[in-house]
Amino acid sequence: MDRFFPNIDKIKYEGPKSKNPLAFKYYDENRVINGKTMKEHLRYAVCYWHTFRGLGHDPFGPGTAVRPWLSSDDPMTQAFDTMDAAFEFFTKLGVPFWCFHDRDIAPEGATVEESESNLREVVSYAKKKQDETGMKLLWGTANLFSHPRFMNGGGTNPDFDVFCYAAAQIKNALDATHALGGENYVFWGGREGYDILFNTDMKRELKHFADLLKLAKAYADEIGFKGQFLIEPKPMEPSTHQYDFDTATVIAFLKEHDIDFVKINMEPNHATLALHTAAHELQVAADAGLLGSIDANRGNFQNGWDTDQFPTNIYDAVEMMLVVLKDGGFETGGLNFDAKPRRASTDLEDMFYGHIGGMDTFARALIIASEMIEGGELSDIVTKRYSSFDDGKGAEFEAGKLSLTDLRDIAASKAEEPAQTSGQRELIEIIFNDYIL
Ligand code: XUL
Ligand code: CO
């Protein structure tokens, strides 16, 4: 397993004092935190698309990176070489999971049948590699946004024939995910949205998408796929009005269409494009019992687009891990690095630096967040803040025992304005900083 990264050995944990950039300073996979190892808590995954198929193209120019596994002119040879490179990378990095789109791992053929047989061939190769290495699949998905036929969407396309092509890809991607023991299946609505309302029947498109999800679930049950379905919200890019704008929008869609089998895959850069924080999006999902998984990355406030940078901001990661830990941790989900090296970061080592930096950031965040929960200062502030609802009339209201008139009478009975209660943001920020390692 030294074919593509001969200069890189297995990345080891060397502790916070190490100066070796090809070592972990905080991610010690066997270290136990609150009864679970770091590996079990964080469930890291590498994504196939950016890491092995992305070459750094942006809206202003083509890719810059030259990758040895893409040197063949034959697309199937490329697919097998890429799979070899991927498993060498996964094992050297020491992540337990990976994620893919159907078209990342196998080329589209001239017909539906040819695409299916390409995918089946590559999947059986991937299965062999998984068995050899012990790697597991966090999730699979179908790419319903790159091919020109999906220019008006996949599951929300106004043309029934294109809709059927989308369905075919979902069916095959579900088969592939099932064959590889995937723990989840993701729907990211790349082009599910609209450009201009005057040519769009939004209600009909959304009904089609809901029905497609239900058919996908029926098919998953039919083949015995037990993985969790996830929707990944994103407010913009590439379509102007994305239907899965943010977590709250997705939850409303799921409720409207009586769909109870889908959870949320939250991506920080999508959250910030929707003008939320990642922690906010996670909390909305957690409060609805729908926190599924995370596509770990970060955006860039200056750019204002989906830059998919590696997550290195400790504060943001701590906020996220606080929500995840309080929610009981990941079940089927994990932290998938949906992130890519910058266009000018063209060395093979840069792929490792990006992932090592992201893994250490979340490992550090896990340690800090669990210490914060243990310390209890922040949760004490919240408990105290709502204590007027804990007993007396406040508790009666929460128990549904008071009418609007009763509430009015309580207000009218007060001789003075309610005493001011500080929100204590500045104090909270000091407490938060005190825990940062
Ligand atoms: C795009 C994005 C996708 C999904 C999977 O912004 O995040 O790569 O994660 O389709
Ligand atoms: Co993503």
Side-chain angles (χ1 to χ4, degrees):
M1 286 278 249
D2 260 338
R3 188 174 159 204
F4 291 107
F5 307 100
N7 302 328
I8 310 269
D9 296 327
K10 173 126 179 51
I11 309 300
K12 294 196 200 67
Y13 170 72
E14 291 186 3
K17 296 218 156 54
S18 169
K19 294 279 179 231
N20 177 5
L22 289 169
F24 296 118
K25 321 271 179 349
Y26 294 92
Y27 182 59
D28 179 4
E29 62 173 27
N30 297 317
R31 174 167 168 191
V32 175
I33 309 234
N34 287 332
K36 278 204 288 190
T37 63
M38 281 193 155
K39 185 176 172 182
E40 290 162 342
H41 270 291
L42 297 162
R43 296 169 59 85
Y44 285 137
V46 166
C47 85
Y48 215 88
W49 50 102
H50 290 313
T51 315
F52 308 108
R53 307 298 305 198
L55 300 176
H57 71 277
D58 70 11
F60 307 97
T64 48
V66 180
R67 300 304 193 205
W69 49 91
L70 300 177
S71 60
S72 168
D73 290 335
D74 170 46
M76 282 303 272
T77 308
Q78 248 190 40
F80 291 117
D81 284 348
T82 306
M83 196 60 76
D84 285 346
F87 276 79
E88 188 180 331
F89 183 81
F90 301 151
T91 12
K92 287 190 166 169
L93 186 63
V95 283
F97 293 101
W98 64 298
C99 299
F100 68 85
H101 298 87
D102 50 356
R103 299 301 185 241
D104 307 330
I105 60 170
E108 173 140 12
T111 60
V112 169
E113 284 83 2
E114 197 180 313
S115 301
E116 284 172 342
S117 98
N118 288 350
L119 186 61
R120 263 198 300 269
E121 243 188 275
V122 176
V123 164
S124 70
Y125 191 63
K127 174 88 179 70
K128 207 170 98 251
K129 296 241 141 206
Q130 284 195 165
D131 293 344
E132 279 164 19
T133 55
M135 281 295 299
K136 291 195 275 185
L137 181 67
L138 190 65
W139 51 261
T141 187
N143 177 332
L144 305 178
F145 44 88
S146 294
H147 194 284
R149 80 169 68 87
F150 296 124
M151 66 181 185
N152 291 310
T156 60
N157 198 292
D159 182 323
F160 179 63
D161 288 346
V162 178
F163 181 82
C164 290
Y165 270 79
Q169 260 186 254
I170 292 171
K171 177 183 180 294
N172 294 320
L174 274 168
D175 282 335
T177 305
H178 183 43
L180 295 170
E183 301 203 12
N184 307 270
Y185 182 87
V186 165
F187 294 85
W188 171 58
R191 295 189 195 273
E192 315 301 357
Y194 71 91
D195 183 42
I196 181 165
L197 199 50
F198 302 132
N199 66 8
T200 305
D201 187 337
M202 208 183 340
K203 195 175 171 72
R204 204 165 174 187
E205 291 196 359
L206 283 166
K207 172 77 165 67
H208 293 166
F209 181 53
D211 288 345
L212 187 60
L213 283 174
K214 290 175 190 173
L215 295 178
K217 175 71 170 111
Y219 182 69
D221 291 344
E222 191 183 315
I223 60 174
F225 174 65
K226 303 249 176 328
Q228 174 65 50
F229 277 21
L230 302 169
I231 286 183
E232 183 177 325
K234 184 173 178 181
M236 62 187 81
E237 279 190 9
S239 80
T240 319
H241 302 274
Q242 298 266 137
Y243 287 142
D244 298 329
F245 189 91
D246 63 358
T247 301
T249 311
V250 171
I251 292 173
F253 163 79
L254 295 173
K255 292 218 152 87
E256 185 179 346
H257 294 278
D258 288 322
I259 295 171
D260 61 1
F261 53 84
V262 176
K263 291 186 177 180
I264 300 293
N265 185 35
M266 193 288 303
E267 180 166 320
N269 203 169
H270 299 176
T272 48
L273 287 172
L275 303 184
H276 298 306
T277 61
H280 166 89
E281 288 290 87
L282 287 175
Q283 192 65 58
V284 173
D287 289 346
L290 298 178
L291 199 170
S293 200
I294 297 179
D295 263 12
N297 65 11
R298 75 176 207 271
N300 180 312
F301 294 115
Q302 288 73 35
N303 281 78
W305 65 12
D306 197 11
T307 56
D308 285 336
Q309 287 166 238
F310 281 94
T312 51
N313 184 315
I314 308 279
Y315 286 74
D316 291 348
V318 171
E319 278 191 53
M320 281 185 249
M321 287 314 295
L322 276 173
V323 183
V324 171
L325 288 177
K326 286 190 198 156
D327 192 49
F330 295 121
E331 288 173 34
T332 62
L335 282 154
N336 166 48
F337 292 103
D338 194 349
K340 57 190 175 192
R342 298 304 82 199
R343 188 165 185 267
S345 301
T346 47
D347 292 344
L348 292 177
E349 281 80 1
D350 295 322
M351 295 166 53
F352 282 89
Y353 295 143
H355 285 87
I356 292 169
M359 289 165 78
D360 262 347
T361 298
F362 273 94
R364 222 162 140 177
L366 167 65
I367 301 167
I368 296 167
S370 76
E371 283 174 3
M372 276 183 186
I373 292 172
E374 178 90 27
E377 294 92 337
L378 294 178
S379 57
D380 287 350
I381 287 175
V382 179
T383 309
K384 202 163 144 237
R385 196 155 185 241
Y386 294 88
S387 59
S388 60
F389 288 91
D390 288 345
D391 42 37
K393 293 289 176 193
E396 281 182 38
F397 158 74
E398 280 201 350
K401 290 183 184 153
L402 300 184
S403 68
L404 192 64
T405 306
D406 292 334
L407 298 177
R408 179 259 161 217
D409 292 346
I410 293 166
S413 73
K414 302 287 170 194
E416 290 167 21
E417 278 287 308
Q420 270 188 343
T421 314
S422 170
Q424 299 181 310
R425 180 176 178 139
E426 293 72 14
L427 170 64
I428 289 166
E429 285 173 342
I430 289 179
I431 296 171
F432 197 94
N433 268 6
D434 284 346
Y435 278 93
I436 301 288
L437 299 175

